[in-house]
DNA sequence: CTTAGGG
DNA sequence: CCCTAAG
């Protein structure tokens, strides 16, 4: 029985759903290369390819890419350019991600590059997947590659089941990049005993030649490239070598330089015309720069435990994945995330009701306590009677301007508070020079929306002190005193703490920089001049992508009980006074207990991303879809994505008049239907296959 | 934990 | 979005 493994990326419909049991486990490899190890690194992979791509003469696409890496190298000779690229993988990857308007590919690459202790079969898989992943990287969602060359889905004449992006029109589109394995020559090597450590379980040995071997082998070569432009991915030498061709495994020691390529994987660049990358199409800048993707999640655990990817005994997580802190913290987060999900589920409705009740009660009390509160786009102030909140619309844009003002008047026994604007401090992001003003606006908007949408609570600062006692009256606190109004300030505090308190201590040391913005802290602070901290240059997507799924905290939840964490500390250092307690709150257990998550309609761009991912991955791999397209959108679970797809299909089928909500472009809906049809059919086929196989067993 | 489906 | 059976 032959399972075709067609995940050569770059092609619209990529991987026929392989039954989960048959799917090969994947392993994450280091995002950053450790100086002292010679593991094949995703960076190398990417940088090598990118370097190659830049070798050609100047053209807009390459220049664009290069300028995202090192402007100094623009216009320089190709050698220099390539070097720049290779020397700056950290810059390159985010840039490519950004160019692709998505950020989910790097982890794919990372996850699939071969690592030191992989046996041949694993390496084959890894290469295969790495090719696929990189192909994805350079393929943008609109069907064009990163350089603006457009391509479309076509059937590969050499393989009916395989789909490639091919050049549509050489006159209008530039090169197409295709990856393929030279498996014909390497068929044997796949079966070769490749064990590195000798400790792999028997089942991982290639000579057992299981289904997975076949899967790997069954990929047809795709040697369409012109020789000059084709190059190969290097492999971890100690894992794969020339000897592999002959079925002999040979350890070559330390990793060779990149020009030393192996044969297993070949990158073919097919040039449609001289100016391969010359056709620079308008780019999307959905995502701002973001730090390197993090890997490390539950999957790591699983993979570590996997029989195929057993890590050497002494390897710790950090050793394995080379990303030490990040891995760990991410792991925590993810775990927490799921923990939360589960806990949400575990509680019966009754409790939820209880919760809801208390929420309302306290909200009311809170109102009566004359607290100013804040919700996205609106600022509620309060008349003393507490009966009817007065809502002042904060005009959108100016709300986020850097001005901070406050009116404070006293009339009779009432205190009137007016917040003219909230300042959103420490919202760092980068955006390419080539980005348009429009995209800048969008970027800011997304970030701000994300911040506000994440759920905020208000803190009150008076004379530099955080007033935590919600029950104190204004008179008691002195806020009533007009003369002191300068001392009154409000803070917006995110509600996105996640880790349970017990994990706090560990968390603190493992918070990766990018997470510092997870809880963007916004404040309007009159009395205290904000002290801007040294913030790592964070990007907006961090913020956008942050976990905002936390529904607003119940008002009664006292921040006093909440430990803060380091990310908050860094993110909101303007809280000089009592920073710990004021900035970040642990999500209360109560919140965990069960409140319906806030509804968050999918934006068109999200739908686009979803469609894109499903087109690629199919409808039965929601977790992968999630990781691919929504890895950073913590509030979108794979179940959400699945549900969204369900509704999308439904939406696509009903008449436009019956549709509600933000209209989804018909084009997208068409793609939904197409993909749905395709994958349904695919699934049917798969099942048929399985059935026949099962039958054959008897 | 994931998937698949009903609610 | 929620809930949950199944794997």
């Amino acid at each position: 029985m032959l399972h075709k493994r067609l995940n050569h990326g770059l092609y619209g419909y990529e991987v026929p759903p392989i039954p989960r049991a048959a799917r090969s486990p994947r392993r994450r490899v280091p995002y950053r290369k450790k100086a002292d190890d010679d593991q094949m690194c995703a960076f190398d992979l990417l940088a090598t390819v990118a370097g190659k791509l830049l070798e050609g003469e100047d053209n807009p696409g390459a220049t664009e890419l290069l300028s995202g890496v090192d402007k100094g190298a623009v216009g320089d000779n190709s050698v220099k350019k390539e070097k720049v690229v290779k020397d700056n993988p950290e810059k390159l990857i985010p840039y490519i991600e950004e160019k692709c308007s998505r950020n989910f590919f790097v982890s794919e690459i990372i996850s699939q590059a071969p690592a030191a202790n992989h046996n041949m079969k694993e390496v084959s898989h890894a290469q295969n997947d790495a090719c696929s992943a990189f192909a994805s990287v350079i393929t943008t969602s609109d069907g064009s590659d990163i350089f603006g060359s457009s391509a479309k889905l076509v059937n590969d004449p050499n393989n009916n089941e395989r789909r490639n992006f091919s050049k549509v029109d050489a006159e209008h589109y530039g090169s197409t990049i295709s990856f393929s394995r030279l498996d014909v020559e390497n068929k044997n090597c796949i079966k070769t005993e490749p064990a590195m450590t000798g400790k792999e379980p028997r089942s991982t040995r290639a000579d057992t030649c299981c289904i997975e071997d076949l899967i790997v082998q069954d990929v047809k070569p795709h040697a369409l490239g012109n020789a000059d432009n084709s190059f190969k991915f290097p492999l971890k030498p100690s894992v794969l070598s020339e000897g592999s061709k002959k079925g002999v495994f040979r350890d070559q020691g330390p990793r060779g330089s990149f020009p030393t390529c192996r044969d297993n994987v070949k990158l073919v660049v097919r040039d449609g015309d001289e100016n391969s990358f010359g056709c620079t199409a308008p780019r999307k800048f959905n995502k701002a720069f973001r730090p390197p993707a993090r890997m490390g999640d539950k999957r790591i655990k699983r993979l570590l435990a996997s029989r195929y990817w057993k890590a050497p005994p002494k390897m710790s997580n950090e050793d394995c994945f080379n990303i030490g802190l990040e891995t760990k913290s991410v792991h925590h987060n993810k775990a927490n995330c799921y923990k939360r999900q589960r806990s949400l589920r575990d509680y019966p409705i009754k409790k939820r009701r209880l919760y809801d009740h208390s929420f309302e009660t306290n909200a009311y009390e809170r109102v009566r306590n004359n607290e100013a509160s804040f919700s996205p786009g609106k600022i509620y102030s309060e008349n003393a009677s507490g009966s009817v909140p007065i809502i002042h619309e904060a005009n959108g844009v100016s709300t986020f301007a850097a001005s901070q003002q406050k009116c404070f008047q006293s009339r009779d026994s009432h205190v009137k508070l007016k917040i003219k604007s909230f300042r959103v401090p420490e919202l760092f992001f980068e955006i390419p020079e080539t980005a348009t003003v429009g995209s800048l606006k969008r970027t800011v908007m997304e970030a701000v929306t994300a911040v506000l949408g994440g759920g905020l609570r208000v803190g009150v600062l008076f004379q530099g002190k955080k007033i935590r006692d919600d029950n104190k009256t204004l008179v008691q606190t002195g806020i009533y005193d007009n003369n002191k109004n300068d001392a009154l300030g409000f803070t917006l505090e995110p509600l996105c703490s996640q880790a349970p308190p017990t994990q706090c201590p560990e968390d603190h040391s493992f918070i990766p920089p990018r997470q510092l913005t997870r809880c963007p802290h916004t404040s309007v602070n009159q009395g205290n001049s904000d002290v801007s901290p040294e913030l790592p240059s964070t990007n907006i997507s961090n913020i956008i992508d942050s976990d905002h799924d936390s529904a607003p905290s119940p008002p009664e939840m006292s921040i006093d009980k909440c430990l803060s964490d380091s990310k908050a500390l860094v993110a909101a250092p303007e809280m000089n006074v009592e920073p710990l307690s004021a900035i970040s709150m642990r999500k209360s257990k109560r919140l965990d207990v069960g409140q319906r998550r806030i509804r968050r309609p999918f934006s068109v761009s999200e739908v686009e991303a979803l469609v894109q991912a499903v087109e690629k991955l199919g409808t039965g791999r929601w977790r992968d879809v999630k990781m691919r397209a929504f890895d950073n959108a913590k509030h979108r679970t794979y179940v959400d994505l699945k549900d969204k797809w369900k509704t999308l299909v439904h939406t696509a089928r009903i008449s436009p008049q019956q549709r509600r909500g933000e209209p989804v472009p018909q084009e997208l809906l068409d793609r939904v239907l197409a993909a749905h049809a395709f994958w349904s059919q695919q699934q049917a086929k798969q099942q048929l296959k399985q059935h026949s196989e099962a039958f054959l067993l008897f």
Side-chain angles (χ1 to χ4, degrees), chain A residues 421-480:
Chain A
S421 73
F422 271 92
R423 192 170 78 94
V424 180
E426 274 72 74
L427 208 56
F428 287 81
F429 57 89
E430 288 180 40
I431 190 165
E433 289 184 349
T434 50
T436 62
V437 172
S439 70
L440 174 60
K441 287 179 181 176
R442 276 196 302 278
T443 301
V444 173
M445 191 59 211
E446 284 181 66
V448 169
T449 303
V451 170
L452 297 181
L456 294 169
R457 58 164 285 127
V458 168
V460 175
L461 284 173
F462 187 61
Q463 295 176 322
K465 268 190 105 177
K466 178 97 183 171
I467 300 180
R468 298 193 208 168
D469 188 346
D470 288 354
N471 295 318
K472 273 189 182 171
T473 67
L474 297 187
V475 176
Q476 285 173 325
T477 56
I479 291 179
Y480 73 96

Side-chain angles (χ1 to χ4, degrees), chain A residues 223-231 266-272 274:
Chain A
L224 299 177
N226 81 44
D228 292 333
N229 285 332
S230 68
F231 59 100
K266 183 177 185 179
L267 172 67
V268 182
V269 180
R270 281 175 290 167
D271 278 354
E274 291 299 294

